[in-house]
Amino acid sequence: MTAQRVTADFWFDPACPWAWLTSRWMLEVEKVRPVDVRWHVMSLAVLNEDKLDQVPEEYREYLRTEAWGPVRVCVAAAKEFGDEVLGRLYTAIGRRFHNEGLPRDRDTILAALEEAGLPARLADAADTDAHDHELRTSHKEGIDKVGEEVGTPIISVPGPQGTEVAFFGPVVTPAPKGEAAARLWDGTLLVAGTPGFYEIKRTRTQGPVFD
């Protein structure tokens, strides 16, 4: 019997390397399991805006100066062209940011927009709060599913009797491929189907590995 096709909702901030790795895993899962990923935006800047006095100065400055732009561009693209553009725009931005280590500036965003087949004018959204209502709405939708003490990514998967279960993570490096990706997905559904399951965690001893 063919397994029933399911949808996994995925909230990301394009600036986050850990979300990027998890997103590459999910693209691999689409190849090996009957799963469709539906992309949504969230924001590390929004998540931390009331906690700036609790984070290191370097990260605080990053949140103020660099974190808003890329996700605002993603929101503007989705608002004009539909959520279906988010996956390819995220891939174009994320590969440049994370795999290629390019500057997180307008030129990099412009190149990503071109690759994604989207107009260059969307880059202007990086420097305006015109779409912040939509950004905050999408961010809140994801956070409301898991609570405040998380980061990005958030993934929502089918749980028992068709209910929705959402988690922060999985946080993994490097992104699993092939059967390893399938096993992690199967395990994710397994814990999602366990009533009262909340968390598995250990200290990270390795940084993001992009391949």
Side-chain angles (χ1 to χ4, degrees):
M1 180 184 296
T2 302
Q4 182 179 0
R5 196 158 197 89
V6 300
T7 297
D9 287 284
F10 191 104
W11 278 262
F12 69 92
D13 183 324
C16 177
W18 297 104
W20 172 249
L21 289 167
T22 307
S23 74
R24 300 310 92 182
W25 163 66
M26 281 306 310
L27 290 184
E28 195 72 12
V29 170
E30 284 189 315
K31 301 175 185 177
V32 294
R33 290 292 186 266
V35 178
D36 297 309
V37 181
R38 189 161 51 195
W39 304 98
H40 311 268
V41 294
M42 63 182 297
S43 169
L44 291 171
V46 172
L47 184 69
N48 290 284
E49 63 184 348
D50 295 328
K51 311 170 190 173
L52 291 179
D53 60 341
Q54 303 171 31
V55 301
E57 176 58 34
E58 182 179 356
Y59 188 54
R60 192 181 314 159
E61 184 64 18
Y62 163 75
L63 291 171
R64 288 173 177 157
T65 61
E66 295 186 38
W68 287 99
V71 72
R72 281 171 165 168
V73 172
C74 289
V75 172
K79 185 176 180 180
E80 184 169 349
F81 295 99
D83 289 343
E84 61 271 14
V85 306
L86 281 175
R88 69 176 188 265
L89 179 56
Y90 181 25
T91 290
I93 293 174
R95 188 180 68 254
R96 287 169 170 81
F97 282 3
H98 306 300
N99 294 77
E100 299 175 18
L102 294 176
R104 301 184 179 196
D105 59 14
R106 183 180 177 87
D107 287 343
T108 301
I109 294 293
L110 285 169
L113 287 167
E114 182 178 9
E115 179 184 322
L118 294 166
R121 56 180 166 76
L122 289 172
D124 295 341
D127 300 316
T128 174
D129 62 2
H131 306 293
D132 283 9
H133 173 74
E134 290 82 3
L135 170 57
R136 290 177 182 276
T137 298
S138 180
H139 177 90
K140 184 176 185 300
E141 182 185 6
I143 288 294
D144 283 351
K145 296 178 185 298
V146 292
E148 293 288 340
E149 299 304 317
V150 301
T152 176
I154 292 169
I155 182 173
S156 176
V157 301
Q161 289 79 51
T163 58
E164 180 186 46
V165 178
F167 298 110
F168 161 60
V171 176
V172 61
T173 187
K177 295 180 174 60
E179 186 55 30
R183 288 196 301 269
L184 180 56
W185 171 254
D186 294 342
T188 300
L189 293 186
L190 179 64
V191 297
T194 304
F197 175 84
Y198 291 103
E199 185 176 10
I200 293 177
K201 190 171 184 178
R202 62 176 175 166
T203 300
R204 299 177 200 171
T205 58
Q206 183 178 17
V209 176
F210 309 117
D211 53 11

